C-alpha cells in the first residue's frame, strides 16, 4: 500500500465525478483504514495497561493484521486499486462485504472492552497521580525537615543579642562582676541540688524561675549551671543582675573548669572534636541525605554539655542526690518529693517513655555491629556503635539500674506533638519541650508557648532591648 497509496488517492480524486464506484471504493478503503488505526490504538492501551499476555491483545493484533492483509490481497489490488479502467463492481461488492465483516468484529471487540479499558485507564491514571503526589510529598517532607532543622539549629538573633549585651555589661562594669568564693551551699548535701547544662541563657533562667516559683522553700534549692566557655561570662552576669528569687543559690561554671574532663580521661571529647571539624557544607549534605537522622547533626549532639550527665558523681562528689533538668523544661510543682523517693538500690530515677516506637534500642544502636551483639565493648571509640547523642549511651549505661518514676513527674513532646493532653500537662510536675520546636523559636507551637513564656523575666532590660517578642 505504501508504494501505491499516493497514486491511488490521486486517481480516486480524478474519478470522483466520472465513476461513482470509485467514490464508493474510496469510502470503503477509508473505513477499513480508520478501523486499523482504532484497533491499533486499543492494542496500545492494552500494552500500556500491562496486558501484554492477555487474549484481547492477541485478538487486536490479529485483527489489525487481517485488515492489512485484506487490503494487500493481489486480487483487490489488481481489480480495485491499480486498475486504469473502471472498477469491477463484483470485486468491489466482495471487498465491501469483507470490510464490513471485519469492521463489525472490530466494533464488537471494542464495545466489549471499552468499559473495562476505561476503568483500567482510570485506575492507571489514579496510580500515576498517587505516585506523583507521593513524590511531591516526599520532596516537601524533606524540604520541610531541612528547613525545620536549619531553624532549630540556628541561634536566634535575640539569643545572640542577649549574650552580647550581658558580656558588654561585664566589660563596661568589671568591678560589679568579680569572681566570688564558692558558697558553702554548693556542696551541702542536705539541700536540693539541680544540674543544668546549657548554652542558652534565657532558657536556663526560665528553668530556674519555674523551680523557685513553685518551690515551698526556695532558699533550700541550689542550681549548678554548666555552660560553654564562650557563654560562661554572659551566664554569670545574668544571675548577678537577676539573682534567683526566694534566696535560691546558683553556681555557674564552664566545662573547662572541671580539669578531669580531658581527652585522655573522656574519649568522647576526641570524637566530638573530629565531628566538629566537618565543614558546615558537609554537615548539611550529610543531613539532607538522611532526613530521619538529620537531628544528629544538631550542634547540641556535638557538645560536651550533652555528655556531662555521665560524670555527675565526679563533678559533685559531696552530693548524694542531684536532679538533672534539661534547658527546655518548665517546672510546675514543688520537686522536693523527688529526694524522698526510695530508688531501691538503683542509681538513676526516670519516667519511662517507651510507648509505641519511641526510643527503642533499635532506633539508636547499630545491632548489626558485632560488638553491640556481644557485649557493648566500651573500648570502641569510633562512634559507629550508635548515632550522636547521649540517649543510646544512657540506655546502655543505666539498663536495669533505673528506678521507674510515676508518669505525672514528666510529660514530654511539647516541641513536636500538637496533641499532648492539657490534662496531662496540667497535672505534670515537669513539662518538656522535647523536639525541634523549642519555645524560644519562631517555630514553637503556639498552644504550648505561654507555658514557657510566663516564666521569662520580661522586666530584665536586656530582654526588652533584644526584642524577644514573647
Amino acid at each position: 500500500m505504501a508504494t501505491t497509496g499516493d497514486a491511488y488517492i490521486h486517481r480516486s480524486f480524478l474519478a470522483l465525478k466520472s465513476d461513482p464506484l470509485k467514490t464508493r471504493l474510496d469510502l470503503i478503503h477509508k473505513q477499513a483504514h480508520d478501523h486499523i488505526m482504532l484497533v491499533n490504538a486499543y492494542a496500545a492501551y492494552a500494552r500500556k495497561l500491562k496486558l501484554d499476555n492477555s487474549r484481547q491483545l492477541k485478538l487486536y493484533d490479529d485483527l489489525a493484521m487481517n485488515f492489512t492483509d485484506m487490503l494487500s490481497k493481489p486480487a483487490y489490488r489488481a481489480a480495485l486499486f491499480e486498475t486504469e479502467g473502471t472498477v469491477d463492481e463484483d470485486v468491489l461488492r466482495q471487498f465491501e462485504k469483507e470490510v464490513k465483516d471485519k469492521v463489525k468484529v472490530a466494533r464488537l471487540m471494542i464495545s466489549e472492552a471499552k468499559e473495562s479499558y476505561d476503568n483500567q485507564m482510570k485506575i492507571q491514571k489514579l496510580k500515576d497521580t498517587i505516585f506523583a503526589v507521593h513524590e511531591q510529598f516526599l520532596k516537601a517532607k524533606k524540604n520541610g525537615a531541612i528547613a525545620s532543622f536549619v531553624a532549630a539549629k540556628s541561634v536566634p538573633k535575640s539569643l545572640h543579642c542577649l549574650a552580647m549585651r550581658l558580656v558588654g555589661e561585664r566589660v563596661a562594669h568589671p568591678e560589679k562582676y568579680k569572681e566570688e568564693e564558692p558558697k558553702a551551699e554548693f556542696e551541702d548535701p542536705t539541700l536540693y541540688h539541680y544540674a543544668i547544662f546549657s548554652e542558652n541563657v534565657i532558657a536556663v533562667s526560665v528553668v530556674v524561675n519555674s523551680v523557685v516559683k513553685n518551690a515551698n522553700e526556695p532558699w533550700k534549692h541550689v542550681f549548678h549551671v554548666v555552660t560553654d566557655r564562650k557563654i560562661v561570662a554572659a551566664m554569670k552576669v545574668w544571675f548577678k543582675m537577676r539573682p534567683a528569687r526566694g534566696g535560691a543559690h546558683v553556681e555557674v561554671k564552664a566545662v573547662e573548669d572541671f580539669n578531669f574532663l580531658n581527652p585522655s580521661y573522656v574519649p568522647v571529647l576526641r570524637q566530638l572534636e573530629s565531628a566538629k571539624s566537618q565543614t558546615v557544607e558537609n554537615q548539611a549534605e550529610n543531613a539532607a541525605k538522611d532526613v530521619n537522622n538529620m537531628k544528629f547533626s544538631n550542634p547540641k549532639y556535638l557538645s560536651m554539655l550533652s555528655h556531662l550527665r555521665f560524670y555527675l558523681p565526679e563533678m559533685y562528689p559531696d552530693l548524694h542526690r542531684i536532679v538533672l533538668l534539661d534547658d527546655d523544661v518548665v517546672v510546675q510543682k514543688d520537686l522536693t518529693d523527688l529526694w524522698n523517693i526510695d530508688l531501691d538500690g538503683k542509681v538513676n530515677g526516670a519516667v519511662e517513655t517507651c510507648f509505641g516506637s519511641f526510643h527503642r534500642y533499635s532506633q539508636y544502636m547499630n545491632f548489626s555491629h558485632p560488638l553491640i551483639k556481644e557485649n557493648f565493648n566500651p573500648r570502641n571509640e569510633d562512634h559507629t556503635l550508635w548515632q550522636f547523642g547521649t540517649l543510646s549511651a544512657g540506655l546502655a549505661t543505666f539498663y536495669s539500674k533505673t528506678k521507674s518514676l510515676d508518669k505525672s513527674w514528666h510529660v514530654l513532646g511539647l516541641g513536636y506533638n500538637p496533641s499532648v493532653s492539657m490534662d496531662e500537662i496540667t497535672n505534670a510536675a515537669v513539662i518538656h519541650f522535647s523536639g525541634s520546636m523549642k519555645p524560644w523559636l519562631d517555630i514553637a507551637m503556639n498552644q504550648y508557648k505561654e507555658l514557657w513564656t510566663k516564666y521569662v523575666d520580661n522586666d530584665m532590660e536586656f530582654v526588652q532591648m533584644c526584642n524577644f517578642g514573647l
Side-chain angles (χ1 to χ4, degrees):
M1 294 298 292
T3 59
T4 62
D6 292 342
Y8 161 69
I9 293 172
H10 177 68
R11 289 197 304 275
S12 65
F13 279 111
L14 293 176
L16 284 178
K17 293 184 179 180
S18 59
D19 189 351
L21 293 180
K22 290 283 188 181
T23 303
R24 182 176 165 191
L25 172 61
D26 184 62
L27 293 175
I28 296 170
H29 180 271
K30 185 177 184 304
Q31 186 180 35
H33 189 265
D34 289 347
H35 279 78
I36 290 176
M37 295 179 64
L38 188 61
V39 169
N40 285 334
Y42 270 86
Y45 282 153
R47 291 188 182 90
K48 184 175 181 180
L49 298 172
K50 297 180 172 55
L51 301 176
D52 302 75
N53 298 323
S54 71
R55 176 174 170 272
Q56 282 185 336
L57 180 57
K58 187 175 185 308
L59 289 175
Y60 283 132
D61 287 339
D62 290 345
L63 185 57
M65 184 61 68
N66 288 341
F67 267 110
T68 302
D69 291 345
M70 176 191 66
L71 295 175
S72 302
K73 283 183 179 179
Y76 290 151
R77 291 179 62 182
L80 300 176
F81 304 121
E82 297 178 357
T83 179
E84 296 293 337
T86 59
V87 173
D88 188 323
E89 189 171 1
D90 291 336
V91 178
L92 178 59
R93 191 178 297 114
Q94 181 182 348
F95 176 67
E96 183 179 27
K97 181 179 182 304
E98 191 170 350
V99 170
K100 285 184 177 180
D101 289 343
K102 291 187 179 345
V103 167
K104 183 178 180 180
V105 172
R107 288 178 176 176
L108 181 62
M109 287 180 57
I110 291 171
S111 176
E112 291 176 351
K114 188 175 187 303
E115 182 177 355
S116 173
Y117 274 32
D118 286 348
N119 290 336
Q120 288 291 335
M121 286 298 293
K122 290 176 182 176
I123 292 172
Q124 186 63 40
K125 286 181 179 179
L126 182 60
K127 288 181 178 178
D128 292 343
T129 301
I130 291 173
F131 178 79
V133 171
H134 181 65
E135 288 294 303
Q136 291 176 353
F137 168 75
L138 290 179
K139 184 177 181 180
K141 181 180 178 182
K142 182 176 180 179
N143 291 340
I146 293 174
S148 178
F149 167 74
V150 171
K153 176 181 176 180
S154 304
V155 177
K157 184 178 179 181
S158 53
L159 290 182
H160 182 72
C161 168
L162 179 60
M164 293 299 99
R165 293 282 184 181
L166 291 167
V167 172
E169 169 68 14
R170 183 185 180 107
V171 172
H173 306 285
E175 70 282 357
K176 294 182 180 180
Y177 305 104
K178 293 180 180 179
E179 294 295 330
E180 299 176 350
E181 290 296 320
K183 294 182 179 179
E185 287 84 357
F186 293 162
E187 298 179 350
D188 187 347
T190 66
L191 301 179
Y192 306 112
H193 293 263
Y194 304 86
I196 308 172
F197 307 139
S198 173
E199 298 175 345
N200 189 326
V201 177
I202 197 74
V204 172
S205 72
V206 166
V207 176
V208 173
N209 283 347
S210 66
V211 172
V212 297
K213 279 190 175 181
N214 293 287
N216 295 328
E217 299 174 309
W219 59 89
K220 291 185 178 180
H221 294 254
V222 182
F223 299 90
H224 301 272
V225 178
V226 182
T227 187
D228 186 89
R229 60 185 171 188
K230 299 188 298 292
I231 303 295
V232 67
M235 195 79 74
K236 287 182 177 181
V237 172
W238 174 279
F239 285 104
K240 187 72 173 179
M241 295 181 68
R242 313 297 288 183
R245 300 181 183 183
H249 312 278
V250 179
E251 177 190 42
V252 178
K253 284 189 173 184
V255 175
E256 292 74 15
D257 292 334
F258 298 90
N259 295 327
F260 73 91
L261 293 174
N262 56 71
S264 62
Y265 184 74
V266 184
V268 73
L269 280 172
R270 293 198 293 273
Q271 300 174 12
L272 297 176
E273 290 303 318
S274 174
K276 286 179 181 179
S277 66
Q278 291 190 57
T279 64
V280 174
E281 290 79 6
N282 287 339
Q283 290 183 19
E285 180 181 353
N286 294 335
K289 287 179 180 177
D290 190 349
V291 174
N292 293 326
N293 292 330
M294 186 179 294
K295 69 175 185 176
F296 297 109
S297 296
N298 194 308
K300 79 172 185 176
Y301 293 103
L302 305 179
S303 170
M304 188 58 203
L305 292 174
S306 296
H307 297 79
L308 290 180
R309 64 193 66 197
F310 299 112
Y311 301 95
L312 282 170
E314 293 158 290
M315 296 171 69
Y316 307 105
D318 296 321
L319 305 181
H320 305 317
R321 184 171 292 192
I322 190 167
V323 172
L324 176 65
L325 295 175
D326 285 341
D327 65 0
D328 55 353
V329 305
V330 166
V331 175
Q332 302 185 126
K333 297 182 180 179
D334 184 86
L335 297 182
T336 53
D337 281 346
L338 286 172
W339 278 262
N340 300 322
I341 294 176
D342 184 357
L343 294 181
D344 299 326
K346 310 289 187 180
V347 299
N348 188 34
V351 174
E352 291 185 0
T353 53
C354 291
F355 50 84
S357 61
F358 185 83
H359 290 182
R360 299 292 184 183
Y361 276 104
S362 60
Q363 286 189 317
Y364 292 86
M365 306 187 75
N366 180 10
F367 277 87
S368 65
H369 196 294
L371 295 180
I372 286 289
K373 284 184 177 180
E374 294 170 10
N375 53 19
F376 299 141
N377 192 324
R379 291 174 296 175
N380 187 287
E381 299 175 7
D382 61 3
H383 65 69
T384 59
L385 297 183
W386 55 69
Q387 303 284 7
F388 276 117
T390 58
L391 182 59
S392 51
L395 290 172
T397 302
F398 297 112
Y399 180 73
S400 76
K401 298 180 177 63
T402 300
K403 168 78 172 183
S404 179
L405 304 182
D406 188 88
K407 293 184 183 300
S408 64
W409 280 110
H410 178 221
V411 169
L412 79 167
L414 278 68
Y416 69 87
N417 183 5
S419 304
V420 180
S421 165
M422 288 308 299
D423 288 338
E424 284 186 76
I425 292 174
T426 303
N427 295 327
V430 178
I431 55 175
H432 194 172
F433 289 82
S434 54
S436 298
M437 301 178 185
K438 300 302 184 189
W440 54 84
L441 298 176
D442 291 337
I443 59 174
M445 285 187 274
N446 290 330
Q447 65 266 42
Y448 305 137
K449 195 166 184 177
E450 192 273 336
L451 298 168
W452 184 85
T453 57
K454 67 182 181 181
Y455 292 105
V456 174
D457 188 352
N458 288 303
D459 294 331
M460 204 279 187
E461 58 181 303
F462 295 156
V463 172
Q464 298 174 5
M465 293 169 65
C466 290
N467 191 27
F468 273 81
L470 301 174

